[in-house]
Amino acid sequence: MIWFSRIVGGLPLKPSPKIRGLAFSITAFLWSAALVMLQEFLSSSVLYMYFMERQGGQTLHPFSRTTDFAITLHVVSLQVTVAVVFFSSARKYPRLVDVLDTLERVYRDHQCKTSEVKVTVKLWGICTIALTLATIAAIITPSLEHGVFSVRELLIVLDFVFMSLLNCSEVSLFVHFTHVTHIIAKCFRMVNARIRKELISNVIERMHMNNTLPDVDFTRANRTVLSRSKELRTLMNTYWMLCDAVHQANVFYCDQLMAVIFTSFVHVTITFYYCFLNLTDGKVISFTTEGARVLNHIFYVFVLMNSSTDVTNSADETEVLICKFMNKDLDPILKKQLEGFLLQLPHHNARFSALGYFPINNETLTAMAGAVTTYLVILIQFQLQPSST
């Protein structure tokens, strides 16, 4: 994950054998800075050439001024995301290091296996690469068949390639955010499973004591209760550590998530708009390509939201689990310990948000879908307005 993010310019970090963790890498920072400047320059050049062609009466996308606005917003939103991801990662990287150190400590203390990158992340990466190559092939193939490759068609290919370079920051954030949230959610589920195991064992022991009271060894029973109380205290401390890890991760990711969600919203809206334009013009191949890009953007947002929701749901399961056992026959020491834990829960939440403006969860997808529909209708109305007058 770290090496991939360094290659695409996402994180200025490197493995450090001395501290057995991650450390700041000046080489990765300079590489990321150079890549960001290159992306910003190339995308600005593409936008400049587009408007120069527009003024000359020739444009790469000859639709309307609404299309000009859509293309400008598309490029600018990507440029903002690239800048936000770079500066935020360079400024807040100690937060991410703390999160990964906390998770490593939890894995080590509880003897868990390390987690690999989720299959959905790999699938999204494969689909993105395949879509990029297929789009370039769809642009180049007709020219190769006629033996002609004009300057205009070359600019179209370069336009697409440069715009794809801007997505490197989004890809990097996608990989390490989903990886980190997957590990945190897995740790929360591990804590829940062990708490459930301890409480079930105590309920069974209490039932056994009630059925065979004269033969009970109270000294041994008290030692068992104290042992379970100590184990529960350890698990509760682990839970607080994970909540703190979520808080630190949210501080690191909040502004990046804000930029990425806004850019994804723009991408989905504009790509749907392109689909409409290609459909009205009868361009089947372009319509299919834009449709695939829409699905790619939707999948990107869905996995981001679902990863955050998975963390929140895994953390909230602990409260539900403990409340179910509070009505059972637990040892008074354990019950008092659980009551104290429940009283502290409202002061700790495991939730991600975009700078506090809105939560990053599956419910936001519904609001986002409604906003995309609204702005898509507005764009289509502006597109149809000249023809109606």
Side-chain angles (χ1 to χ4, degrees), residues 97-221:
V97 173
D98 291 340
V99 171
L100 296 177
D101 288 343
T102 299
L103 297 177
E104 180 67 25
R105 190 159 61 251
V106 171
Y107 267 53
R108 184 176 61 252
D109 294 343
H110 295 276
Q111 300 180 351
C112 299
K113 296 181 180 179
T114 56
S115 177
E116 299 293 335
V117 177
K118 295 177 69 174
V119 176
T120 51
V121 178
K122 298 178 182 179
L123 177 62
W124 181 82
I126 294 173
C127 292
T128 302
I129 295 173
L131 178 60
T132 303
L133 296 177
T135 304
I136 295 176
I139 298 173
I140 297 177
T141 301
S143 301
L144 295 178
E145 291 177 352
H146 294 87
V148 179
F149 199 75
S150 64
V151 176
R152 182 175 179 274
E153 290 165 341
L154 177 61
L155 291 176
I156 294 177
V157 175
L158 292 178
D159 177 15
F160 183 81
V161 172
F162 292 158
M163 291 303 100
S164 299
L165 285 176
L166 285 176
N167 292 319
C168 289
S169 297
E170 289 184 293
V171 173
S172 173
L173 175 65
F174 180 83
V175 170
H176 58 76
F177 177 76
T178 53
H179 183 67
V180 169
T181 51
H182 175 62
I183 296 177
I184 295 176
K186 183 177 179 181
C187 289
F188 273 122
R189 286 192 289 267
M190 179 271 298
V191 170
N192 294 337
R194 296 199 175 185
I195 290 177
R196 180 185 292 107
K197 178 182 178 182
E198 295 296 328
L199 296 181
I200 290 176
S201 298
N202 184 253
V203 170
I204 294 175
E205 289 170 358
R206 296 280 294 181
M207 292 175 59
H208 179 71
M209 289 175 58
N210 294 334
N211 293 333
T212 60
L213 189 58
D215 301 327
V216 172
D217 185 351
F218 287 98
T219 303
R220 181 179 178 183

Side-chain angles (χ1 to χ4, degrees), residues 313-332:
N313 291 342
S314 300
D316 291 345
E317 285 177 5
T318 308
E319 181 178 6
V320 177
L321 170 66
I322 292 177
C323 289
K324 288 181 179 179
F325 278 92
M326 290 298 293
N327 296 325
K328 297 186 180 297
D329 184 20
L330 292 174
D331 188 90

Side-chain angles (χ1 to χ4, degrees), residues 8 60 114 146 161 290 295 301 308 313 348 382:
V8 299
L60 301 179
T114 56
H146 294 87
V161 172
E290 295 297 338
L295 295 177
V301 177
S308 176
N313 291 342
H348 299 79
F382 275 111

Side-chain angles (χ1 to χ4, degrees), residues 213-324:
L213 189 58
D215 301 327
V216 172
D217 185 351
F218 287 98
T219 303
R220 181 179 178 183
N222 289 333
R223 285 200 300 266
T224 302
V225 171
L226 292 176
S227 175
R228 297 200 184 282
S229 177
K230 182 179 179 180
E231 178 66 18
L232 279 178
R233 189 178 301 110
T234 301
L235 292 172
M236 291 174 184
N237 290 335
T238 302
Y239 184 92
W240 303 135
M241 288 173 58
L242 293 175
C243 288
D244 182 65
V246 174
H247 174 71
Q248 297 292 335
N250 188 54
V251 173
F252 176 78
Y253 285 115
C254 61
D255 46 357
Q256 300 181 55
L257 289 173
M258 181 71 174
V260 166
I261 295 300
F262 172 74
T263 303
S264 299
F265 166 74
V266 172
H267 286 182
V268 173
T269 305
I270 292 177
T271 309
F272 266 122
Y273 172 67
Y274 290 160
C275 285
F276 169 78
L277 296 178
N278 290 312
L279 181 63
T280 55
D281 286 359
K283 298 179 180 179
V284 179
I285 296 179
S286 298
F287 172 76
T288 304
T289 302
E290 295 297 338
R293 293 178 65 185
V294 167
L295 295 177
N296 193 41
H297 293 318
I298 292 175
F299 184 78
Y300 179 91
V301 177
F302 173 78
V303 175
L304 278 183
M305 298 287 190
N306 189 65
S307 298
S308 176
T309 305
D310 189 27
V311 172
T312 303
N313 291 342
S314 300
D316 291 345
E317 285 177 5
T318 308
E319 181 178 6
V320 177
L321 170 66
I322 292 177
C323 289
K324 288 181 179 179

